[in-house]
Amino acid sequence: MVDWNLAVATATRLVRPGPEVSRDEARAVVAELRRHAKSSEEHVRGFTRLATEEAHDTPVLVVDRPGWVRANVAGFREILKPLLEKMEERRGGGAGNAVLGAVGGKVTGVELGMLLSFLSSRVLGQYETFAPATRELPAGAHGGGRLLLVAPNIVHVERELDVDPHDFRLWVCLHEETHRTQFTAVPWLRDHLEGEIQSFLAETDVDPMTVLERVREAAQTLAGGRPEGEEDDGGRSLVELVQTPAQREVLGRLTAVMSLLEGHADFVMDGVGPSVVPSVGEIREKFQQRRAKGASRLDLALRKLLGLDAKLRQYRDGERFVRAVVEECGMDGFNRVWTSPNTLPTKSEISKPADWIARVHRKTES
C-alpha cells in the first residue's frame, strides 16, 4: 500500500536545502546542541521533579532534514503496520490487485514523501519512540526512544527570529528534553499512547481509496495543484475526514494526552528558561508570533489539512492546564497526572483544570 523506500527517496530529493553554514560552523552547532541536551536533563528533572535514570539510556541524535525524514518513515511504518495489513486483506489477492497495489504503493510513496519534505523543514526536535532500533537510528538497551534535534531547522529559525543562537538552542533542548523525561519517567506512557493509536486505527472504516485520496489532496495542495479557493475543505483535517464515531472517542483521548505532553513541555521550557536562558522573554515572544502565523497561503492551507492548527491549540490549551494545576496544587500535586492512564486529563478537563483537580485529588484524598 505504501512504497516506504520511495517515500524516503522522494522526500530526500525534494527537501529544501538548509541555511548556509561552513563545515566548522556545522560542527560547532552539533557539538553545542549535544552539550545543551545533556545540561537540559538536570534542569528539567530538577524543575519537574520527575526522577528517571533511563534518560541516560536514550540517545541524543543531531540530524539533518533527510535524517528526520528517515526516522519518521521508520516510525510510521511500524505504527501503521496493522492498518496496512488490514487494508491489504480488504483489497484481496489476484494479479490485477497486485498490479494496482504496486502502482498505488508508488503513488502513495511519492505523495507521502512530498508531505514529509514539507514538514522536515519545520520540525526543531522530536522524541521518537516508535521506530525499531537500527544502526542509523539507535535506541536504548531497554528499548527506549531517541531524542532528535534537527540542526538546520534550529539554525534557520534562530536566524529568522534574530535571537541569541546559544540561548535559542538551549531553549529548544529544554522543550525536547521534557518530552524525553516524560517518556522515561513514566514507563507506561509509551505503551498507552501506542495502544490508543492502534485503537484509533483499528476502528478505521478501511477504504483504501478514501485514505489515499486524502493523502493525494494534501500532496496536491503542497504542489499547488488544487484550484484557487478550494483549499479550505470545510475546515477538516486529514485525521478528521476518516473518523468513525468510535474513533472520535479515541481521538478525544489522544488530543488530551498530546495537549498535556506539549503543554507540559512549554510550561517547563518557560519555567526553567529565566534561570538559564537570559533572553528567554524575547525568544518566547518572537517564537509565539512565528507559531501563530503561516508563512504563506499555501502554508495555512497545509496546516489546516494536516491538522497542524490543532497542534498549535494543543500547545496553548495544554500549557494553560498545567499552569492552572501547578498554581493550585504545586508540582507534586500536578505530577499525580502521571500515576496511571486513569489520572490523565480528559479532553474537557484540559479546558477545565478544576474538574481534573476535583476528580483526581478529591478521589485520592477521600
Side-chain angles (χ1 to χ4, degrees):
M1 297 301 296
V2 181
D3 188 328
W4 297 105
N5 292 332
L6 185 57
V8 171
T10 301
T12 302
R13 178 167 50 84
L14 296 178
V15 71
R16 298 176 183 178
E20 290 188 12
V21 294
S22 69
R23 181 166 298 187
D24 288 343
E25 287 175 314
R27 288 172 177 163
V29 170
V30 170
E32 183 171 23
L33 287 173
R34 292 188 182 282
R35 289 196 304 272
H36 285 330
K38 180 64 177 176
S39 65
S40 293
E41 289 184 34
E42 182 178 352
H43 296 314
V44 169
R45 292 186 200 182
F47 184 81
T48 63
R49 301 181 191 174
L50 290 175
T52 172
E53 292 302 319
E54 289 191 17
H56 297 297
D57 189 44
T58 56
V60 175
L61 306 178
V62 182
V63 299
D64 58 9
R65 290 168 179 174
W68 179 87
V69 167
R70 289 191 292 272
N72 277 268
V73 166
F76 289 152
R77 189 170 189 168
E78 187 69 17
I79 203 73
L80 292 176
K81 190 181 297 181
L83 174 64
L84 295 178
E85 289 174 351
K86 188 176 178 182
M87 292 172 72
E88 289 281 3
E89 291 174 3
R90 173 72 65 88
R91 191 180 62 193
N97 283 334
V99 171
L100 287 174
V103 173
K106 291 187 181 302
V107 171
T108 309
V110 169
E111 291 169 343
L112 178 60
M114 293 172 68
L115 294 177
L116 288 170
S117 71
F118 170 80
L119 294 171
S120 68
S121 63
R122 284 157 170 75
V123 176
L124 301 181
Q126 173 185 350
Y127 185 74
E128 206 300 311
T129 185
F130 295 120
T134 63
R135 184 166 62 179
E136 185 180 47
L137 197 64
H142 300 292
R146 67 286 290 172
L147 182 62
L148 305 177
L149 297 169
V150 191
N153 295 350
I154 294 172
V155 172
H156 171 79
V157 174
E158 71 192 24
R159 290 179 178 179
E160 179 184 304
L161 298 181
D162 190 25
V163 294
D164 182 281
H166 309 293
D167 284 2
F168 184 75
R169 293 166 195 173
L170 176 55
W171 188 71
V172 170
C173 287
L174 289 171
H175 182 102
E176 304 308 330
E177 177 58 36
T178 302
H179 287 317
R180 182 162 70 152
T181 297
Q182 291 163 348
F183 280 91
T184 55
V186 185
W188 52 264
L189 182 58
R190 180 199 178 281
D191 289 342
H192 173 71
L193 192 59
E194 182 177 10
E196 291 284 54
I197 293 171
Q198 293 302 338
S199 294
F200 180 88
L201 296 177
E203 291 294 339
T204 299
D205 184 12
V206 185
D207 177 3
M209 293 310 298
T210 299
V211 176
L212 297 182
E213 181 60 29
R214 295 314 174 191
V215 174
R216 186 166 295 114
E217 286 181 11
Q220 288 173 346
T221 300
L222 178 61
R226 304 184 72 189
E228 185 74 15
E230 290 190 9
E231 66 270 14
D232 193 330
D233 201 12
R236 297 181 296 174
S237 72
L238 276 170
V239 170
E240 292 169 321
L241 285 165
V242 297
Q243 279 185 75
T244 65
Q247 281 181 305
R248 279 191 278 275
E249 293 184 17
V250 180
L251 187 63
R253 296 195 298 269
L254 275 171
T255 299
V257 174
M258 298 310 297
S259 297
L260 172 69
L261 298 180
E262 297 293 358
H264 184 233
D266 267 11
F267 178 78
V268 172
M269 185 168 59
D270 288 346
V272 174
S275 62
V276 297
V277 182
S279 59
V280 65
E282 177 192 3
I283 291 173
R284 183 65 157 150
E285 181 180 358
K286 289 183 175 180
F287 194 75
Q288 285 289 71
Q289 291 173 356
R290 183 182 185 275
R291 260 186 189 171
K293 65 180 182 180
S296 65
R297 185 171 181 174
L298 172 62
D299 194 52
L300 289 171
L302 266 170
R303 277 170 41 173
K304 178 174 290 187
L305 191 60
L306 297 174
L308 300 184
D309 281 346
K311 186 174 178 64
L312 295 179
R313 290 193 295 274
Q314 289 173 9
Y315 283 106
R316 294 193 296 268
D317 296 345
E319 195 274 341
R320 282 195 291 265
F321 170 84
V322 176
R323 186 174 301 280
V325 174
V326 171
E327 288 177 355
E328 180 70 21
C329 306
M331 187 62 74
D332 291 335
F334 165 77
N335 281 339
R336 290 189 186 179
V337 78
W338 311 116
T339 304
S340 75
N342 293 329
T343 57
L344 291 171
T346 64
K347 187 176 179 181
S348 64
E349 287 171 343
I350 286 288
S351 58
K352 296 179 180 179
D355 289 354
W356 179 86
I357 294 172
R359 176 173 67 88
V360 173
H361 282 266
R362 290 177 186 172
K363 182 176 180 180
T364 304
E365 292 162 2
S366 59

